[in-house]
Amino acid sequence: MPSGNGAVHASPSIRRFARELGVDLHRVHPSGPNGRVTRDDVQHFVKRSLHDGGPTRAAGGAGLDVTPWPKIDFAQYGEIERKPLTRIQKISGPNLHRNWLQIPHITNYDEADVSSLEAFRNEVNAEKSAADRPKLTLLAFLIKASIAALRRFSEFNASIDGDSLVYKRYYNIGFAADTPDGLMVPVIKNADSKGLFEVAGAAAELAAKARAGKLALGDMQGGTFTISSIGGIGGTAFTQIVNAPEVAILGATRAAMKPSWNGEEFEPRLMLPISVSYDHRVVDGAGAARFLRYVAELLGDFRRVLL
Ligand code: COA
């Protein structure tokens, strides 16, 4: 895909005009003498791009030479119902689109043996005193294990800023919350300095606020890493989209009993599928495999989080 505006016949003022509008002159049909691109040509290109519903550039990225969105009269094939996108869909859609287009995504998958962790979680939640404290959820364990992994693999808690990588020394963990109006990502601030119960309580409070449509903007800002836990619903694996300007997002789907070879025999173990999607400009596949393995080891023996 052409990256500059060289080898195109256009005056410096037209080049500047095209640059300001983010137009790749290679894609503009020239109508001027000797194949020169005119101001009208650039304007026509922008109008046509807007009409086709496609951006002239991916928000500062390379030109996207995509065909226009199909325009179909669905009613000609059967009964339809038209509903406007929800407010959340209207806000999150462009962000997801930007992240999908601008971040070179890769997803790695692994499995964590959560047999002892789930036994411990259920035991704690069944205690008499459990009624007076937040319920320990798998999400809370995922958050604490992620923070331990983020401390070890600091590039996962970083952000690209121009030519630099900004490493954050604080751990604000966002989590995907499924709400009737769509996906929201509240952020638990300084989750590293909170205990498991406090994290579980903060997550429950933020998820309830999200479902009631009462999250403040500040509740969703400042995240350094995100977790999407959909095991309560189901699934064996999925590819979550990185939440820019973060560089990685952890996913978890439904844990299931599986036969595991212990060296002598197969024994049933509760295995949790986990995945990490990451910005390949910052993290490579080997780094992601190490990160995910470490998260799996922590979930397999949660005492290691303390080390
Ligand atoms: N495997 C098996 N069962 C699981 C599980 C997993 N990975 N995760 C949860 N469960 C089960 C548990 O039995 C739990 O009940 P229990 O604690 O009494 O045992 C039950 O599902 C309910 O869990 P859930 O409501 O998911 O609670 P949570 O604290 O683990 O998760 C949220 C909280 C906010 C993350 C979750 O409710 C949610 O909204 N998830 C959807 C996220 C989403 O939409 N992601 C997609 C973004 S693209």
Side-chain angles (χ1 to χ4, degrees):
M1 200 169 286
S3 56
N5 280 334
V8 169
H9 293 294
S11 70
S13 67
I14 297 301
R15 286 177 190 278
R16 199 178 325 114
F17 182 53
R19 251 196 324 274
E20 281 166 9
L21 294 175
V23 171
D24 179 353
L25 283 178
H26 291 93
R27 300 180 57 215
V28 179
H29 179 72
S31 67
N34 302 324
R36 283 183 94 78
V37 176
T38 67
R39 194 181 175 83
D40 276 353
D41 295 334
V42 176
Q43 282 174 333
H44 179 71
F45 176 83
V46 172
K47 275 188 200 153
R48 205 186 61 216
S49 297
L50 290 173
H51 181 260
D52 290 349
T56 52
R57 279 188 162 218
L64 289 173
D65 202 4
V66 291
T67 49
W69 192 259
K71 283 196 169 54
I72 293 171
D73 174 14
F74 299 104
Q76 69 180 301
Y77 300 112
E79 194 188 337
I80 60 164
E81 182 188 357
R82 186 175 289 272
K83 283 186 183 174
L85 294 177
T86 65
R87 198 175 64 86
I88 292 172
Q89 285 172 323
K90 280 187 193 153
I91 296 169
S92 63
N95 288 335
L96 289 165
H97 191 205
R98 175 202 58 206
N99 298 346
W100 184 251
L101 289 175
Q102 289 207 299
I103 298 174
H105 275 81
I106 308 277
T107 307
N108 281 32
Y109 302 89
D110 207 328
E111 271 185 331
D113 183 338
V114 292
S115 313
S116 55
L117 184 129
E118 274 298 277
F120 172 68
R121 192 177 76 84
N122 290 330
E123 190 184 309
V124 172
N125 285 336
E127 285 169 0
K128 266 199 193 133
S129 50
D132 305 327
R133 56 186 189 219
K135 190 179 100 176
L136 276 192
T137 56
L138 184 64
L139 179 65
F141 287 95
L142 290 172
I143 290 173
K144 294 305 276 186
S146 295
I147 293 169
L150 294 174
R151 285 189 197 280
R152 180 178 283 202
F153 303 92
S154 55
E155 70 274 23
F156 284 78
N157 202 48
S159 285
I160 290 183
D161 187 19
D163 288 340
S164 312
L165 200 54
V166 180
Y167 292 84
K168 281 151 274 179
R169 306 291 184 223
Y170 51 89
Y171 302 89
N172 294 342
I173 310 299
F175 65 95
D178 181 32
T179 82
D181 288 333
L183 169 73
M184 306 212 71
V185 185
V187 174
I188 302 177
K189 306 270 166 37
N190 304 311
D192 54 312
S193 61
K194 294 181 166 67
L196 267 171
F197 284 118
E198 223 181 324
V199 167
E205 204 175 297
L206 285 165
K209 262 172 112 177
R211 282 170 191 145
K214 293 203 169 128
L215 281 180
L217 195 58
D219 290 329
M220 295 177 280
Q221 289 174 333
T224 61
F225 182 80
T226 299
I227 298 176
S228 184
S229 175
I230 51 171
I233 304 168
T236 53
F238 77 125
T239 307
Q240 53 285 4
I241 299 181
V242 174
N243 192 11
E246 298 166 19
V247 295
I249 174 169
L250 184 83
T253 48
R254 190 182 266 304
M257 277 294 179
K258 290 193 177 172
S260 174
W261 184 252
N262 65 13
E264 288 170 5
E265 58 183 357
F266 282 106
E267 59 173 321
R269 306 294 299 177
L270 186 62
M271 304 304 290
L272 176 73
I274 51 175
S275 53
V276 65
S277 293
Y278 50 95
D279 186 332
H280 207 359
R281 294 170 298 179
V282 179
V283 173
D284 58 28
R290 283 188 200 102
F291 176 88
L292 211 47
R293 192 83 294 273
Y294 189 54
V295 171
E297 281 168 13
L298 295 170
L299 294 172
D301 183 353
F302 207 72
R303 295 170 304 179
R304 292 185 179 279
V305 169
L306 302 171
L307 299 177

